[in-house]
Amino acid sequence: HTPVKRGSVVKARLIGILKLLDNDEQDDNLITFNPDSPFIKVMSIKELDKSLNGITGILETWFINYKGPGQIQSKGFGDTKEAKLILQKANTHFLNRNKN
């Protein structure tokens, strides 16, 4: 698969969210798949974990440790519905911020 450059806009299937605190600030991460992913038929975090037993634990471990010990805390995963709400809020905030 071709890597996607940071800041790119691409189509993706949203399946959930990993809720994080980064230095006590909310820093949620949407979990998605590109259309050419072998996991494109996965519709939820639960299905992802069934397809690849333990993958959510690996994702969570990586995200809470990539900046070093104790800087990021996990508040667990959210489902597709919760992820869509967070995405809508972020999109609305972005659009409203750039109106002026």
Side-chain angles (χ1 to χ4, degrees):
H1 299 283
T2 306
V4 177
K5 290 183 181 180
R6 187 177 195 154
S8 297
V9 177
V10 297
K11 285 189 175 190
R13 176 185 306 274
L14 180 61
I15 65 160
I17 189 166
L18 176 55
K19 300 176 277 186
L20 301 172
L21 288 179
D22 184 348
N23 290 315
D24 296 323
E25 290 187 21
Q26 185 175 345
D27 185 20
D28 297 329
N29 284 262
L30 300 174
I31 309 296
T32 66
F33 290 114
N34 289 336
D36 63 347
S37 168
F39 300 104
I40 193 60
K41 292 184 180 182
V42 172
M43 301 297 286
S44 69
I45 294 293
K46 283 184 180 184
E47 282 185 36
L48 177 62
D49 228 10
K50 281 184 181 179
S51 297
L52 289 170
N53 189 22
I55 190 67
T56 55
I58 293 168
L59 285 171
E60 187 173 40
T61 299
W62 188 87
F63 273 102
I64 63 174
N65 287 291
Y66 82 99
K67 284 189 173 181
Q71 293 193 37
I72 300 176
Q73 297 174 336
S74 175
K75 298 297 180 185
F77 287 91
D79 62 13
T80 305
K81 183 177 179 180
E82 187 174 359
K84 286 180 180 180
L85 286 173
I86 295 292
L87 179 58
Q88 287 172 344
K89 285 180 185 179
N91 190 41
T92 299
H93 176 75
F94 177 79
L95 293 172
N96 287 336
R97 186 188 75 182
N98 291 312
K99 279 187 177 181
N100 297 328

